[in-house]
Amino acid sequence: MKEILNPFVYIKEYRDYSLIYVPYEHLFFIFRDKIDLKKNKEFLLKNRILVEPDYKERFIKNYQKIVNSSEPELNLMYLLLTDRCNFNCPYCFIENNYSEKERSFLKLEDAEKAIDYFFKNSSSKEQRIIFYGGEPLLNKDVLIKAIEKIRKISKTAHIGINTNGSSYDEKLSKVFKENRVVVSISLDGFEKINDKTRIDYALRGTSKKVFRNIDNYINDGVIVSFSVTINSFNIDYLPAISKWIVDRFPSVKSIGFNLPLENLKGNNLMVDFEYCAFQIYNSYRILRRFGVYEDRVLRRLRHIVNEEIYLKDCGACGNQIVVHPSGKVGPCHGFSGTKEYFDYDLDNLNFKDGETFKRWNLLSPINKKYCIEKNCPFILICGNSCPYYSKITRGSLDEPDDRMFPFLTVLIEEIGKDLYLSPPQAIAIDYDGTIISREPSYDVIKYVAGKYGYQKEIPKKDFYDIRKIFNEIGNEINKKEKVNEMINLYLKKWKENSQLNAPLINQLKKIKEKYMIPVYILSKHKKEDIIKELKELKIDSLFDDVFESENFDKPSKEYYNEFFDKINKKPEEIVYIGDSYASDIKPIYSFGIRGAISFYANKDYFSELGNDWLLDIFDDYFKLEKDL
């Protein structure tokens, strides 16, 4: 029998090594040479990298049997105390899915009936009840009585509440503390960022009030955690936000990052999901150093370490009920606005035999045609993620959650590197937008073009070839002789509002002093121009060299290969710091560098970015070596 390469194995070939991830027992391997299927056959067979020709069929049948033979098992209940909210967060997948203006509140009798049903029908050792909304604290009296009823029945069940933090009073706080309620408060960042998304109906920021309430709950001894929803305002700053939370609220021991979700009105704050993974993992590096639990990484890492399959990430897939404020019951709070799948009343609820719950219980990537046909290597660690997202974006619960493959690609690669690679031996760093804060190129190009009478719309790009674009503009307006003049005006205007990224420079100095590693600048500009500016700024001694290629432009593959060869280091020995995921981080990451960090030189947040979060990431790299 001739063996074949495992169709589900993940192989990432970098410049100097290959990383292999095998779903079977979540195994990771590093190959320094090209993988020789004959030479390494015994090893590859043993670790299921090489498999029998009928492996895929047996693999799928085996895990389908596990999922399809399981019955719904109730261990989680969401009580939606109201569908009303006093905040107007633009990305909300609950409020933005409601069409009715009239909203409702869960009645006490329905809350009590739901609690009785839950404990009667749940035999789980990990019973959890979470109060949700809308904003659940708007139905405070029912909340308090429901908590008291839960604790009369069970002293050990987990009680949680997801709140926007808009309300505080001593009685409520006392109830939370006495009944060990975990209060998860939505918080998207430090004040300037949080006030962009966590807003009221007058479009005013809510941070001051919420921060004050958080302090009050913490001072009262309430268990507080944070829920951070990733969006286009905060994604560039997630690691700094994580360290800010550790510093600002040192008693908080749990943070959860929420990947952005679509809603029926559209989410204009969506972001790249690979970039989400980078930012979450770098945040996780910081948080684990301070003993703070980060859920998004750890709930998968735990299964990887224990060599366990992870076929269901969401409780809606056979483990939970959601009680709507109207008294209707369904599997997923994402559909509370449309009431789709809320097919039951509390009086006719049959969790184990209800057709809707049985249908949702079968939702798993191992049952999804798309995931099977694509031979997805993450099929045993994905967990199916969010059926709501699949339905709202692809029209069916049986379709994949498109966020997860790009997210897990980076996550698995970073975990593999942490297992096998040594700490970094050098730092490569972008210049414009990273070391120096400048006016965006697009705005300056538009300004200069307008000065010379060019009226057409200029397409927005991550990277501009300045001479090329002004040559095109000059040709179009018949002013080719003015091209050099345009370029000089561009450079003058572009540098006018330049500002040194002081938080980055200060942290680089600490990293270099502590770990004695060289720092190289990579830029598309002339080396002599950069060195001149570094001397003017009096920071030239911090950098070991400025790399300039005479033959290739950044961010081409040839440019980076020339850089690695010139400094005589492998990509895996380098951590790259840049300001743009698309034009800085992604191109060099493909070489297999040790790590990538986004440090955008936005002067609006300089006061918040100087909290040593970058140093914490490097501390984690070097601590990992000792731990391993």
Side-chain angles (χ1 to χ4, degrees):
M1 184 188 305
K2 188 176 181 180
E3 293 82 6
I4 64 170
L5 189 67
N6 187 334
F8 294 105
V9 74
Y10 178 72
I11 300 178
K12 182 66 175 182
E13 293 182 334
Y14 299 117
R15 195 182 89 151
D16 296 306
Y17 67 98
S18 295
L19 173 68
I20 297 180
Y21 164 71
V22 189
Y24 170 74
E25 295 185 352
H26 307 303
L27 303 175
F28 289 85
F29 304 99
I30 290 281
F31 274 75
R32 289 293 169 184
D33 301 314
K34 187 173 178 64
I35 302 170
D36 189 324
L37 298 183
K38 291 183 178 179
K39 181 180 178 182
N40 306 116
K41 185 174 181 179
E42 185 177 343
F43 171 84
L44 297 174
L45 282 169
K46 178 183 177 182
N47 292 289
R48 312 306 285 152
I49 299 169
L50 276 181
V51 294
E52 304 78 18
D54 64 343
Y55 176 81
K56 178 176 179 177
E57 182 181 355
R58 292 186 290 109
F59 178 93
I60 295 299
K61 282 185 176 180
N62 178 53
Y63 290 110
Q64 281 182 340
K65 184 178 180 181
I66 293 172
V67 172
N68 298 343
S69 63
S70 67
E71 291 186 345
E73 181 183 356
L74 185 59
N75 60 32
L76 173 60
M77 177 171 68
Y78 280 87
L79 288 175
L80 309 190
L81 293 182
T82 179
D83 50 21
R84 182 184 165 208
C85 187
N86 53 352
F87 278 14
N88 186 27
C89 306
Y91 52 64
C92 184
F93 73 102
I94 300 291
E95 292 301 306
N96 285 320
N97 285 348
Y98 276 91
S99 57
E100 306 97 336
K101 292 183 179 179
E102 293 298 321
R103 302 301 177 86
S104 54
F105 291 83
L106 186 67
K107 297 175 183 177
L108 178 59
E109 61 185 280
D110 285 338
E112 291 179 334
K113 193 180 293 185
I115 292 166
D116 287 333
Y117 182 91
F118 177 79
F119 285 110
K120 183 180 179 181
N121 291 274
S122 173
S123 57
S124 173
K125 294 180 181 179
E126 297 182 0
Q127 296 170 326
R128 296 179 295 154
I129 297 178
I130 296 175
F131 294 97
Y132 208 81
E135 172 47 47
L137 296 187
L138 296 178
N139 197 355
K140 185 170 64 175
D141 292 339
V142 172
L143 170 64
I144 291 173
K145 288 182 172 62
I147 290 172
E148 292 171 345
K149 180 176 178 66
I150 293 167
R151 277 292 171 251
K152 284 180 182 178
I153 298 173
S154 172
K155 303 298 181 186
T156 59
H158 169 93
I159 305 175
I161 181 168
N162 285 49
T163 172
N164 59 27
S166 60
S167 299
Y168 168 84
D169 67 47
E170 292 183 5
K171 179 182 178 181
L172 194 62
S173 190
K174 184 179 180 182
V175 170
F176 289 157
K177 180 183 178 182
E178 290 178 349
N179 293 282
R180 302 183 310 283
V181 177
V182 177
V183 180
S184 178
I185 298 176
S186 297
L187 182 70
D188 290 349
F190 27 80
E191 184 175 339
K192 291 177 185 177
I193 284 180
N194 197 60
D195 279 346
K196 292 180 182 295
T197 54
R198 311 296 303 172
I199 56 178
D200 61 21
Y201 277 88
L203 305 183
R204 297 171 301 198
T206 60
S207 295
K208 285 184 170 59
K209 180 180 182 181
V210 171
F211 293 180
R212 184 169 62 247
N213 291 340
I214 293 170
D215 288 333
N216 288 334
Y217 283 126
I218 290 174
N219 292 336
D220 290 345
V222 174
I223 305 168
V224 173
S225 66
F226 291 124
S227 176
V228 181
T229 297
I230 300 174
N231 58 77
S232 57
F233 290 119
N234 67 9
I235 187 165
D236 289 323
Y237 312 102
L238 284 189
I241 289 169
S242 299
K243 182 59 182 297
W244 171 80
I245 290 175
V246 168
D247 291 340
R248 177 65 178 79
F249 306 104
S251 65
V252 171
K253 296 302 178 187
S254 177
I255 295 176
F257 290 105
N258 304 315
L259 297 179
L261 286 168
E262 283 288 359
N263 60 70
L264 293 177
K265 294 181 181 177
N267 183 355
N268 294 325
L269 305 180
M270 295 294 282
V271 295
D272 185 287
F273 298 116
E274 283 185 354
Y275 189 26
C276 281
F278 275 111
Q279 293 297 75
I280 290 176
Y281 203 83
N282 281 328
S283 298
Y284 162 70
R285 291 187 191 281
I286 295 168
L287 295 172
R288 69 181 171 190
R289 292 193 50 72
F290 293 91
V292 178
Y293 178 86
E294 190 290 304
D295 184 58
R296 185 63 58 176
V297 173
L298 281 173
R299 70 188 189 212
R300 287 183 172 81
L301 189 58
R302 183 169 62 245
H303 285 78
I304 289 173
V305 170
N306 294 332
E307 298 180 351
E308 300 170 341
I309 59 173
Y310 189 52
L311 294 175
K312 294 183 179 181
D313 185 47
C314 176
C317 301
N319 299 116
Q320 76 183 28
I321 58 174
V322 178
V323 182
H324 191 274
S326 65
K328 288 285 188 179
V329 183
C332 172
H333 48 282
F335 294 100
S336 59
T338 62
K339 296 190 181 68
E340 190 174 8
Y341 307 110
F342 280 80
D343 299 327
Y344 307 94
D345 296 311
L346 287 165
D347 293 324
N348 73 353
L349 181 59
N350 188 336
F351 178 72
K352 290 223 169 186
D353 295 322
E355 289 302 316
T356 300
F357 293 112
K358 288 165 70 175
R359 162 92 168 87
W360 279 67
N361 185 55
L362 298 178
L363 295 176
S364 168
I366 208 71
N367 279 330
K368 294 192 173 183
K369 182 179 178 182
Y370 180 92
C371 303
I372 295 169
E373 289 180 347
K374 292 294 184 181
N375 296 334
C376 180
F378 311 127
I379 202 164
L380 298 187
I381 198 65
C382 166
N384 193 55
S385 196
C386 181
Y388 160 82
Y389 190 85
S390 299
K391 179 64 183 292
I392 200 169
T393 57
R394 279 179 164 255
S396 172
L397 298 173
D398 297 309
E399 292 293 327
D401 177 345
D402 289 324
R403 303 172 303 166
M404 297 317 298
F405 188 86
F407 176 82
L408 288 170
T409 297
V410 172
L411 191 67
I412 290 298
E413 289 177 20
E414 288 300 292
I415 290 171
K417 290 176 185 179
D418 274 357
L419 287 172
Y420 287 103
L421 298 185
S422 300
Q425 304 300 307
I427 296 172
I429 188 165
D430 176 56
Y431 192 64
D432 291 312
T434 306
I435 294 174
I436 299 291
S437 171
R438 303 202 195 274
E439 196 169 346
S441 289
Y442 172 80
D443 294 337
V444 183
I445 292 169
K446 191 174 180 180
Y447 167 82
V448 174
K451 281 281 186 182
Y452 284 85
Y454 186 78
Q455 301 299 324
K456 289 186 179 180
E457 186 66 28
I458 296 170
K460 287 190 175 182
K461 297 181 180 179
D462 291 316
F463 171 78
Y464 291 95
D465 184 325
I466 300 303
R467 179 161 293 280
K468 181 180 178 182
I469 195 167
F470 281 115
N471 270 323
E472 291 173 355
I473 291 171
N475 284 333
E476 190 147 349
I477 60 177
N478 295 318
K479 294 182 180 179
K480 288 191 287 186
E481 76 281 359
K482 298 286 186 179
V483 168
N484 286 335
E485 196 176 297
M486 291 181 197
I487 293 173
N488 289 333
L489 178 58
Y490 166 85
L491 292 173
K492 179 183 177 183
K493 180 70 177 175
W494 187 53
K495 290 185 176 183
E496 274 181 3
N497 297 316
S498 298
Q499 186 171 339
L500 182 66
N501 187 349
L504 170 61
I505 297 302
N506 291 336
Q507 293 193 63
L508 279 178
K509 288 177 180 176
K510 294 177 182 178
I511 292 167
K512 192 163 185 180
E513 180 180 351
K514 188 171 185 178
Y515 294 113
M516 309 289 289
I517 56 177
V519 183
Y520 302 95
I521 291 176
L522 304 184
S523 177
K524 61 181 179 289
H525 298 302
K526 291 284 187 183
K527 177 176 180 176
E528 60 184 271
D529 293 338
I530 293 176
I531 291 176
K532 179 182 177 182
E533 191 167 31
L534 292 175
K535 288 180 177 178
E536 291 171 356
L537 295 166
K538 298 180 180 179
I539 57 170
D540 53 301
S541 61
L542 177 60
F543 303 98
D544 292 80
D545 200 1
V546 176
F547 175 69
E548 179 183 7
S549 173
E550 295 182 0
N551 303 308
F552 307 109
D553 292 327
K554 184 187 178 201
S556 69
K557 180 179 180 180
E558 294 81 5
Y559 175 93
Y560 290 121
N561 273 324
E562 188 177 315
F563 167 70
F564 298 135
D565 292 339
K566 181 175 181 180
I567 66 171
N568 195 30
K569 292 195 182 297
K570 296 178 179 179
E572 68 193 72
E573 298 174 322
I574 292 172
V575 167
Y576 182 81
I577 302 173
D579 67 286
S580 167
Y581 173 70
S583 63
D584 281 342
I585 293 173
K586 193 168 184 174
I588 195 171
Y589 188 76
S590 64
F591 286 87
I593 58 173
R594 181 63 183 92
I597 301 168
S598 177
F599 202 136
Y600 178 37
N602 188 336
K603 51 194 174 186
D604 292 340
Y605 306 122
F606 275 1
S607 59
E608 288 87 358
L609 295 177
N611 55 20
D612 279 359
W613 62 271
L614 184 63
L615 176 61
D616 290 323
I617 291 176
F618 277 83
D619 285 344
D620 184 68
Y621 282 126
F622 284 89
K623 183 177 183 297
L624 270 175
E625 183 184 40
K626 295 177 182 177
D627 292 346
L628 293 173

